[in-house]
């Protein structure tokens, strides 16, 4: 029983992997573009899941860290001529540290108070992106961002090379998160989610581990932002508004919070639904609402929960 | 022999309520101490001060010769004091095994829990009779099983002192006897010093070598079970309680 489940999962994983590998050779460039977006959103929702799905605190500012990484990387390369390959880790580290600075005071608040604080912080960061015109170009956007410099003779100006670059980072990030949630650290943050006072009583430094989960989650969003900036080559504040944060929350809930694989699938599903809705963008909110209500009514643990029910027969 | 735990003039005021007043206590390592007293006497408050959940208004707490008042609960746990809660607490939506493993991992964090830690968790699950519930989600257990999970998780942190707040409440007679046997093992074989708060008098009398009686935040008597049952002040308080 268990081994058949495992092998079914393995087969699904292998098929997905092969599909992801061949897509640029079999699909139109539009489809490739949409899959790149789906991978970027998978990275955002997987990194968000570390904080909200595993450690517990509900956050509404993940897109702010995404934007911070994107602008940091773009500006480093534009203003100082730094290479993308250096700007990417620096952006990730900076957002990680920034996350620690924000997370330390914010995570002293619990429950709704923390959630509301992150919501306002997210909006504040959007206003910063919008109003520091000398740096970000404000509402006009920030253009002229260069693609990653070629390495190993690979030229990154085209779609296909960028696709593989982002895919590799996506796989690395998910692998890293997988190792993390299954580590001792992963156990400790789950204990905080389950019962913070009990966790503290059995010796978990809850304040420290919450801030660490928050910072890692932010730093990974920052790396994703850097990848996005040099792929899309044009940044606009609205990409990093609260709506994007909310979309990440929806992706994670639809997929199943605290499962890592669920949010990745959720990101894929939601990205494709939204792309199909392009003809009527104002209907996006309706779609989100319907998706969320449907999933919460059918199975609060999301698609991952539905899958577990089908496989486990309960 | 140096005392394991020393409370000096420990006082806690909640606004107008004095939940602990000048409590002094010396506890030797290896002992089984019972704390009894009427509802609202301040027993849980005493535990909460020792484990750092609340700060004493005044007074000091020393564990193994080191002052620990002012430390955070997670720091005190790391020093070697474990506890269970009067209103049972478990990590609800994970398995019993994972509950206990968290205790071991919190005690010593490795990137991956070690073979030795898994082994330790297995032993504790065996000892506390939770084997059959190993893979059951903790929230689906009965109160009595949850209490054993709480105890097992505390044991996994390898404490030298264990504070147990009304572990017997709500248990059947059979379960109480099993629990008593388990606590004797924990004390005798693992060498863990026990302080138990109990309303189940039979359990305290059978288990403890020494008993402290608290009333209105003050220690009013201390002695062997025999001395306590014959203490007039204590009898008055309990009869007074009962006749209300
Ligand atoms: N956090 C708190 N804030 C205000 N008052 C409190 C608090 N905790 C306890 N008290 C008060 O302190 C007194 C002692 O309470 P405590 O819980 O320590 O009693 P107890 O001996 O454990 O009682 P029980 O046998 O009912 O568990 C009570 O009057 C209680 O109302
Ligand atoms: Mg109490």
């Amino acid at each position: 029983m268990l081994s058949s489940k495992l092998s079914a999962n393995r087969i699904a994983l292998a098929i997905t992997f092969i599909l992801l590998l061949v897509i640029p050779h079999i699909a139109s460039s539009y489809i490739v573009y949409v899959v790149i977006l789906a991978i970027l959103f998978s990275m955002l929702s997987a990194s968000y899941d570390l904080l909200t799905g595993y450690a517990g605190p509900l956050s509404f500012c993940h897109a702010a860290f995404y934007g911070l990484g994107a602008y940091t990387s773009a500006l480093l390369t534009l203003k100082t001529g730094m290479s993308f390959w250096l700007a990417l880790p620096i952006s990730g580290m900076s957002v990680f540290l920034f996350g620690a600075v924000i997370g330390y005071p914010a995570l002293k608040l619990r429950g709704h108070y923390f959630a509301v604080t992150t919501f306002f912080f997210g909006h504040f960061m959007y206003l910063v992106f919008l109003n520091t015109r000398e740096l970000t170009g404000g509402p006009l956007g920030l253009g002229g961002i260069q693609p990653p410099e070629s390495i190993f003779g690979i030229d990154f100006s085209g779609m296909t090379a960028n696709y593989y670059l982002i895919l590799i980072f996506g796989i690395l990030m998910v692998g890293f998160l997988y190792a993390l949630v299954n580590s001792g650290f992963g156990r400790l943050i789950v204990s905080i989610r389950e019962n913070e006072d009990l966790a503290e009583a059995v010796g978990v430094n809850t304040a420290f581990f919450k801030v660490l989960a928050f910072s890692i989650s932010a730093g990974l969003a920052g790396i994703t932002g850097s990848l996005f900036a040099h792929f899309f080559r044009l940044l606009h504040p609205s990409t990093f508004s609260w709506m994007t944060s909310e979309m990440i929350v929806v992706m994670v809930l639809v997929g199943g919070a605290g499962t890592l694989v669920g949010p990745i699938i959720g990101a894929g599903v939601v990205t494709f639904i939204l792309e199909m809705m392009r003809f009527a963008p104002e209907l996006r909110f309706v779609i989100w609402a319907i998706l969320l209500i449907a999933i919460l009514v059918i199975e609060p643990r999301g698609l991952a929960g539905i899958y577990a029910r089908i496989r486990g027969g309960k | 022999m140096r005392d394991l735990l020393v409370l000096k003039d420990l006082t806690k005021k909640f606004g107008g309520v004095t939940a602990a007043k000048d409590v002094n206590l010396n506890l030797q390592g290896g002992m089984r101490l019972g704390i009894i007293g009427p509802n609202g006497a301040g027993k849980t408050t005493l535990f909460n001060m020792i484990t750092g959940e609340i700060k004493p208004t005044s007074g000091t707490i020393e564990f193994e010769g080191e002052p620990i008042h002012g430390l955070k609960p997670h720091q005190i746990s790391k020093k070697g004091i474990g506890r269970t809660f009067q209103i049972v607490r478990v990590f609800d939506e994970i398995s019993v095994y994972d509950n206990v493993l968290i205790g071991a991992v919190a005690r010593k964090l490795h990137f991956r829990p070690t073979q030795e830690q898994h082994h330790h968790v297995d032993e504790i699950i065996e000892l506390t009779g939770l084997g059959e519930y190993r893979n059951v989600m903790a929230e689906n257990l009965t109160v009595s099983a949850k209490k054993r999970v709480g105890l097992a998780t505390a044991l996994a942190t390898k404490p030298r002192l264990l504070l147990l707040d009304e572990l017997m409440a709500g248990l059947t007679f059979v379960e109480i006897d099993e629990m008593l046997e388990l606590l004797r093992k924990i004390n005798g074989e693992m060498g863990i010093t026990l302080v138990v708060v109990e309303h189940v008098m039979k359990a305290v009398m059978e288990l403890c070598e020494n008993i402290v009686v608290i009333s209105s935040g003050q220690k009013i008597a201390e002695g062997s079970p025999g001395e306590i049952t014959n203490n007039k002040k204590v009898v008055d308080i309990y009869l007074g309680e009962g006749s209300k």
Side-chain angles (χ1 to χ4, degrees):
Chain A
M1 227 350 239
L2 193 70
S3 64
S4 81
K5 240 187 257 182
L6 276 180
S7 61
N9 285 345
R10 285 246 170 86
I11 292 167
L13 193 67
I15 292 173
T16 313
F17 186 67
I18 291 169
L19 260 181
L20 283 170
L21 276 185
V22 300
I23 272 176
H25 305 289
I26 57 169
S28 68
S29 62
Y30 171 67
I31 297 283
V32 176
Y33 165 78
V34 176
V35 176
I36 291 180
L37 287 187
I39 298 172
L40 289 169
F41 272 113
S42 295
M43 294 164 79
L44 290 174
S45 51
S47 55
Y48 177 80
D49 200 31
L50 180 73
L51 175 71
T52 299
Y54 285 88
L58 181 57
S59 155
F60 287 106
C61 63
H62 207 52
F65 297 124
Y66 179 41
L68 210 57
Y71 279 110
T72 306
S73 187
L75 289 170
L76 278 175
T77 54
L78 283 172
K79 304 267 169 183
T80 73
M82 185 185 283
S83 155
F84 160 80
W85 302 104
L86 191 56
L88 177 124
I90 291 182
S91 308
M93 273 314 291
S94 317
V95 180
F96 171 84
L97 293 175
F98 189 75
V101 171
I102 296 299
Y104 179 71
L107 285 159
K108 289 195 191 294
L109 303 169
R110 283 199 189 186
H112 302 318
Y113 295 100
F114 172 76
V116 170
T117 304
T118 59
F119 181 83
F120 285 116
F121 168 72
H123 195 61
F124 171 77
M125 287 311 297
Y126 165 72
L127 292 176
V128 170
F129 299 147
L130 194 65
N131 290 308
T132 50
R133 286 169 190 242
E134 316 74 51
L135 278 176
T136 65
L140 296 175
L142 181 65
I145 304 166
Q146 293 304 305
E149 294 82 2
S150 57
I151 47 162
F152 310 127
I154 305 165
D155 170 33
F156 288 99
S157 54
M159 182 88 94
T160 305
N162 271 287
Y163 173 85
Y164 285 115
L165 176 70
I166 289 171
L167 179 62
I168 287 171
F169 269 95
I171 291 170
L172 287 177
M173 191 179 288
V174 171
F176 173 69
L177 284 166
Y178 181 80
L180 214 50
V181 300
N182 288 297
S183 70
F185 166 79
R187 311 270 171 182
L188 296 190
I189 61 175
V190 164
S191 79
I192 298 171
R193 175 190 78 194
E194 289 302 319
N195 192 326
E196 195 164 340
D197 293 328
L198 178 59
E200 183 77 25
V202 300
V204 181
N205 187 346
T206 56
F208 174 79
F209 284 107
K210 276 197 295 183
V211 175
L212 189 56
F214 187 79
S215 316
I216 294 174
S217 165
L220 295 177
I223 288 175
T224 312
S226 168
L227 288 167
F228 172 76
H230 297 268
F231 160 66
F232 208 70
R233 301 187 210 162
L234 175 68
L235 299 181
H236 192 274
S238 65
T239 310
F240 312 110
S241 71
W242 66 270
M243 274 193 277
T244 307
S245 290
E246 186 167 299
M247 193 158 86
I248 297 165
V249 177
V250 171
M251 288 167 169
V252 169
L253 291 180
V254 165
T259 61
L260 202 55
V261 68
I264 292 168
I265 293 167
V269 169
V270 174
T271 307
F272 277 96
I273 290 178
L274 290 183
E275 275 306 315
M276 289 190 295
M277 294 297 302
R278 269 199 171 244
F279 63 92
E282 60 287 351
L283 280 181
R284 286 179 156 213
F285 292 105
V286 182
I287 294 291
W288 289 0
I290 293 174
L291 261 179
L292 258 190
I293 292 169
I295 214 78
L296 292 177
V297 168
I298 300 167
E299 172 58 71
R301 292 177 300 159
L303 294 173
I306 293 174
Y307 178 74
R309 265 207 302 212
I310 295 168
R311 301 290 318 187
K314 56 177 179 178
Chain B
M1 190 180 156
R2 191 177 69 182
D3 291 317
L4 187 70
L5 181 75
V6 180
L7 311 184
K8 270 203 202 104
D9 299 327
L10 208 55
T11 300
K12 179 69 197 181
K13 293 190 174 122
F14 291 111
V17 181
T18 304
K21 189 164 188 296
D22 296 326
V23 177
N24 287 286
L25 185 77
N26 288 53
L27 177 63
Q28 276 182 8
M31 295 281 286
R32 298 182 301 273
L33 174 73
I35 298 182
I36 61 171
N39 288 115
K43 305 178 294 290
T44 298
T45 300
L46 223 45
F47 275 11
N48 285 342
M49 284 192 284
I50 297 169
T51 56
E53 259 98 25
I54 59 175
K55 300 231 173 311
T57 308
S58 63
T60 61
I61 305 167
E62 274 180 23
F63 179 65
E64 296 181 332
E66 231 187 298
I68 57 164
H69 48 277
L71 296 185
K72 301 215 172 76
H74 71 89
Q75 294 169 316
I76 292 174
S77 163
K78 285 251 166 59
K79 296 266 178 214
I81 302 182
R83 76 171 295 181
T84 63
F85 293 89
Q86 182 169 1
I87 296 164
V88 66
R89 289 183 188 171
V90 293
F91 300 118
D92 276 319
E93 293 192 13
I94 57 177
S95 71
V96 167
Y97 187 86
D98 286 343
N99 264 265
V100 183
L101 183 59
I102 283 168
V105 172
R107 163 78 208 199
K108 185 127 185 44
L109 178 61
H110 297 276
F111 185 74
R112 305 222 87 177
T114 60
Q115 222 37 51
E116 196 194 330
Q117 285 179 319
H118 282 295
H119 188 66
H120 184 217
V121 170
D122 282 331
E123 275 176 0
I124 289 170
I125 286 186
E126 189 66 30
L127 177 76
T128 49
L130 288 165
E132 56 177 320
Y133 303 128
R134 207 182 146 85
N135 298 316
V136 176
M137 215 187 265
E139 69 175 351
N140 296 330
L141 298 176
T142 61
V143 172
S144 112
K146 277 186 187 176
K147 286 190 161 183
R148 275 184 283 148
V149 174
L151 175 62
T153 308
L155 281 174
T157 68
K158 298 190 174 168
R160 287 184 294 286
L161 171 64
L162 201 45
L163 311 178
L164 306 173
D165 199 350
E166 304 210 14
L167 203 56
M168 309 284 179
L171 268 55
T172 64
F173 286 121
V174 178
E175 287 170 339
I176 288 178
D177 281 340
E178 286 169 357
M179 188 62 91
L180 283 174
E181 194 190 328
L182 174 59
L183 293 183
R184 277 192 207 98
K185 259 194 204 164
I186 289 173
N187 175 252
E189 290 173 22
M190 303 171 79
I192 298 173
T193 308
L194 296 180
V195 180
V196 303
V197 162
E198 280 304 337
H199 280 296
V200 182
M201 222 35 85
K202 169 184 168 285
V204 198
M205 296 296 167
E206 269 185 39
L207 178 72
C208 299
E209 303 151 299
N210 219 359
I211 292 174
V212 162
V213 187
I214 303 195
S215 176
S216 308
Q218 280 173 291
K219 186 165 101 176
I220 57 161
E222 182 171 9
S224 67
E227 288 165 355
I228 293 298
T229 25
N230 295 319
N231 184 309
K232 183 154 181 327
K233 268 202 275 184
V234 178
V235 173
D236 282 350
I237 281 178
Y238 272 89
L239 286 180
E241 215 355 56
S243 60
K244 255 185 230 161

